[in-house]
Amino acid sequence: MNNSSILSLKKVTKSFTSGDRKLTVLNQISFDIEEGTSCAIIGPSGSGKTTLLGLCAGLDRPTSGEVNLKGRSLSKMDENALSKVRNEQIGFVFQSFQLISTLTAIENVMVPVELRGVPYREVEKMALSLLEQVGLGDRTDHYPNQLSGGEQQRVGIARAFIHQPDILFADEPTGNLDGETGEQIEELLFDLNRRQGTTLVIVTHDRELAEKCDRTISLKKGEIVSDTATAEQNTINVEAGIA
Ligand code: ADP
Ligand code: MG
């Protein structure tokens, strides 16, 4: 692992057993992600993308191999240490938004930090500022069912950024949104990534979104089939006279 690597996977394997059958969903996955960069993970449905993201974010543990975040092995941490890392260093955006239906927009955004015992007024101020940044400054007291899908995902993004995570994982963040709304959500992710220097790891079906990332890792049946830097790709195209 080099100095600027924030996330490092070494021979990560994940298997599930059902009855007497063992299903290997991820097979010996290794890669490093550099701090402050954006990386897309693409691949057909069932190729292991969500499972991989869950392992990277400490939501689940590998069957074998190591996941290191900022040089610390998530695989070896106990549940308490892992939940501290998730609360302080990691943000997660879900395809299905996963807001709490009984809480308002601002309360949903405040949840991750409130859990850490930061004073209420301070958290409220941070949440309001983020909701303003995602264009929902006038919808803070609305409940999820009073918001459109795109608006709910904006709340999801504000929530993911509230503790200023070092790294943000997004699992098909625009998968449930129409094209235009999806693009606005993408803009928001990249904007916050630039402004806060957050490393982004985005699972997507959308080739255009992948091309906006610095790098694309492509999975097939639980294995990496390609790993390309977007800039390099462009350089090669230019040299070959394609671009
Ligand atoms: P993707 O996100 O690329 O569509 P997933 O990571 O969700 O793929 O799933 C990859 C494979 O792992 C699928 O075949 C899925 O059925 C299987 N899988 C995922 N989670 C579990 C689980 N908890 N138990 C058994 N099989 C699982
Ligand atoms: Mg998935």
Side-chain angles (χ1 to χ4, degrees):
M1 194 183 79
N2 63 37
N3 286 336
S4 59
S5 155
I6 183 167
L7 178 72
S8 172
L9 271 71
K10 290 194 186 76
K11 297 191 173 175
V12 167
T13 292
K14 180 74 181 177
S15 311
F16 295 106
T17 21
S18 69
D20 54 359
R21 281 194 57 208
K22 194 171 101 176
L23 179 71
T24 298
V25 171
L26 293 171
N27 189 20
Q28 306 253 345
I29 301 283
S30 300
F31 59 79
D32 274 70
I33 291 191
E34 272 183 55
E35 201 152 10
T37 59
S38 53
C39 179
I41 296 175
I42 61 169
S45 183
S47 56
K49 305 181 297 296
T50 294
T51 306
L52 179 61
L53 218 56
L55 295 176
C56 292
L59 299 169
D60 196 5
R61 292 173 189 277
T63 307
S64 65
E66 281 232 353
V67 178
N68 283 286
L69 185 73
K70 294 186 116 181
R72 293 169 70 204
S73 169
L74 298 186
S75 333
K76 288 181 185 148
M77 282 180 195
D78 64 27
E79 215 31 65
N80 277 343
L82 199 55
S83 109
K84 196 162 153 31
V85 168
R86 278 198 306 262
N87 275 325
E88 295 180 0
Q89 297 177 9
I90 293 173
F92 209 101
V93 175
F94 301 88
Q95 177 174 0
S96 52
F97 323 135
Q98 305 228 5
L99 302 179
I100 300 170
S101 63
T102 53
L103 298 181
T104 62
I106 194 161
E107 287 166 350
N108 266 286
V109 176
M110 290 166 71
V111 166
V113 184
E114 267 193 296
L115 295 174
R116 275 164 60 188
V118 181
Y120 187 87
R121 290 280 161 226
E122 214 171 296
V123 184
E124 195 178 37
K125 223 170 108 184
M126 287 157 57
L128 182 60
S129 156
L130 270 163
L131 283 173
E132 279 164 359
Q133 286 179 58
V134 301
L136 288 179
D138 55 350
R139 310 297 296 271
T140 57
D141 293 329
H142 285 68
Y143 288 90
N145 68 4
Q146 299 172 313
L147 299 169
S148 70
E151 289 165 345
Q152 289 184 52
Q153 192 60 304
R154 285 165 190 267
V155 176
I157 288 172
R159 176 186 58 188
F161 275 96
I162 190 144
H163 51 245
Q164 299 181 295
D166 300 311
I167 187 162
L168 183 117
F169 299 98
D171 193 356
E172 307 203 32
T174 60
N176 280 341
L177 304 173
D178 64 65
E180 197 179 324
T181 313
E183 268 177 41
Q184 291 166 357
I185 293 294
E186 287 166 20
E187 286 297 315
L188 222 49
L189 280 174
F190 286 112
D191 188 45
L192 289 164
N193 150 259
R194 281 188 293 267
R195 261 196 274 174
Q196 297 198 4
T198 316
T199 307
L200 282 185
V201 183
I202 309 179
V203 163
T204 183
H205 267 113
D206 182 350
R207 287 251 165 212
E208 272 181 47
L209 171 55
E211 275 165 23
K212 289 182 192 158
C213 294
D214 299 319
R215 171 183 177 193
T216 300
I217 292 175
S218 178
L219 282 187
K220 209 169 183 180
K221 293 184 182 161
E223 296 189 5
I224 294 180
V225 288
S226 76
D227 185 344
T228 346
T230 308
E232 273 173 31
Q233 227 173 11
N234 290 343
T235 314
I236 292 165
N237 286 348
V238 169
E239 280 169 4
I242 296 165

